[in-house]
Amino acid sequence: MSVLPETMKAVVAYGPEDYRVKEVPTPKAGYGEVVIKVEACGICGSDLKAFHGSAMYWGGEDPWMKAPVIPGHEFYGIVAELGEGAAEKYDLQVGDRVTTDQINPCGKCKFCQTGKYWMCDVHNIYGFQKGVAEGAMAEYMKFGSTARIYKIGDGVTAEEAALVEPMACAVHTVQRATIEFEDVVVLAGAGTLGLCMTQLIALKTPKKLIVLDTNEKRLSVAKKLGADIVINPLKEDAIKIVKDLTDGYGCDVYIEATGHPTGVTQGLEMIRRLGRFIEFSVFGQEVTTDWSVIGDRKELDIRGSHLGPYTYPIAIDLFERNLITSEGIVTHSFKVDDFAEAMEMAHHPEAIKVLLKP
């Protein structure tokens, strides 16, 4: 018999800028399912875009956001209830610290059947689809029976555990970049994901790591976390600086993590011929550019990066070995009741990662 409370406090998204803190039924674990007591849930840049009504999330006949839904996809928690078969399936017991992939894969489509579960055709992402993939801006959260669940050891601090999801996404992005020792790497964007990537790129020891951002505080943190050079494009000519550092050729690798259209056009100009352009961001608007730069002029290798497939264990291990950190990235924490205040802070230039802690 479940010992969980009948109701819990949660943020519920009904529509753009219509998010309410409410008492809702506590999820119950069915066959192969796991319910966690949420310890922390980060507010992601995509959460902000969804909150403000980005067409990517709310537009079209089949919108990504299927409301009413509890948002939140950056989380960890403590196992509170195990459905039938779940303990054996996942080697779990009540009290374990855990997280799961941001996606709850269907397990049946072409991509799931061939091991590419992060491209699942159904694509239920926690925090976006009502009923099937409710998120973690709540006191409790349920993992589906097809979830990929990972234990978080005692060697990972609470703040680090809260960063496992973004760090896993960052690991995948850096893997997609296939960084070599002689590469000059430019990373555009020093938000949470960019600062996670900064640490991981530094572990790859490229010839030079250059981080771009318009926020001086974030650039200062990037410098501490391994950037060789930091540039504010509003104050300096970033393209000229990068080209001067590379004998006029441009950077070998450009990673776009700004979520702003100028991050794309800037990168296409800054990167050398035959360079590798890695696109990570989720944009709140369409991005246009001259595609002839990609093909005829530079023959670029354009690579996308989506979610964190097979990389959660890597992120957890790197935290356990103290090779990466949450220091300087997690800046603020709020209770679920204070969701409105948390969202306001998430927009503030002094904030980087804002957490909700039920």
Side-chain angles (χ1 to χ4, degrees), residues 33-308:
E33 296 177 337
V34 177
V35 172
I36 65 165
K37 184 180 185 300
V38 177
E39 291 292 292
C41 178
I43 297 176
C44 176
S46 61
D47 291 318
L48 299 181
K49 291 181 174 71
F51 179 79
H52 290 298
S54 167
M56 173 180 175
Y57 298 98
W58 298 100
E61 295 181 359
D62 186 26
W64 190 278
M65 289 286 285
K66 292 178 172 59
V69 62
I70 299 170
H73 59 268
E74 297 181 1
F75 52 78
Y76 85 99
I78 297 172
V79 174
E81 185 180 66
L82 292 161
E84 183 183 351
E88 297 79 13
K89 179 179 180 179
Y90 296 112
D91 186 26
L92 290 177
Q93 59 185 3
V94 171
D96 284 342
R97 285 205 306 173
V98 294
T99 189
T100 184
D101 266 272
Q102 181 181 343
I103 192 169
N104 185 25
C106 73
K108 299 177 181 178
C109 71
K110 173 181 179 178
F111 299 104
C112 288
Q113 289 290 309
T114 56
K116 302 175 179 66
Y117 70 91
W118 71 103
M119 285 296 169
C120 173
D121 216 28
V122 179
H123 225 74
N124 287 325
I125 300 285
Y126 288 111
F128 293 98
Q129 285 85 30
K130 66 180 179 182
V132 295
E134 301 283 353
M137 292 187 184
E139 294 179 284
Y140 294 90
M141 176 189 177
K142 182 168 72 174
F143 297 167
S145 61
T146 56
R148 303 173 66 89
I149 300 174
Y150 312 98
K151 292 182 184 179
I152 301 174
D154 294 337
V156 180
T157 69
E159 289 191 340
E160 290 169 349
L163 276 188
V164 168
E165 188 275 339
M167 189 63 76
C169 291
V171 170
H172 182 54
T173 303
V174 173
Q175 288 174 334
R176 294 284 286 158
T178 56
I179 293 167
E180 303 291 348
F181 295 124
E182 68 273 19
D183 284 338
V184 173
V185 180
V186 172
L187 168 62
T192 298
L193 269 298
L195 293 172
C196 289
M197 292 177 201
T198 297
Q199 300 179 69
L200 297 164
I201 295 167
L203 289 176
K204 292 283 188 176
T205 62
K207 183 177 182 180
K208 196 79 69 179
L209 170 56
I210 303 165
V211 176
L212 314 180
D213 202 280
T214 58
N215 183 310
E216 292 293 338
K217 176 180 178 177
R218 295 182 178 193
L219 290 177
S220 176
V221 177
K223 189 74 173 174
K224 292 176 183 177
L225 294 178
D228 298 303
I229 298 170
V230 295
I231 302 171
N232 184 335
L234 295 181
K235 296 181 178 180
E236 300 178 274
D237 188 338
I239 294 171
K240 182 179 186 303
I241 292 171
V242 170
K243 289 198 170 184
D244 285 348
L245 286 168
T246 56
D247 297 322
Y249 288 102
C251 60
D252 304 285
V253 177
Y254 183 92
I255 300 175
E256 200 294 305
T258 69
H260 194 280
T262 56
V264 175
T265 52
Q266 167 188 259
L268 291 175
E269 187 173 349
M270 185 180 292
I271 197 168
R272 65 164 170 83
R273 294 172 184 173
L274 302 176
R276 297 185 297 286
F277 188 114
I278 317 302
E279 182 52 65
F280 171 81
S281 292
V282 175
F283 294 92
Q285 56 189 299
E286 288 187 356
V287 181
T288 59
T289 190
D290 180 0
W291 273 60
S292 60
V293 173
I294 297 169
D296 183 61
R297 297 184 196 170
K298 291 191 175 182
E299 197 176 318
L300 298 177
D301 191 351
I302 306 292
R303 304 178 185 179
S305 180
H306 181 57
L307 305 184

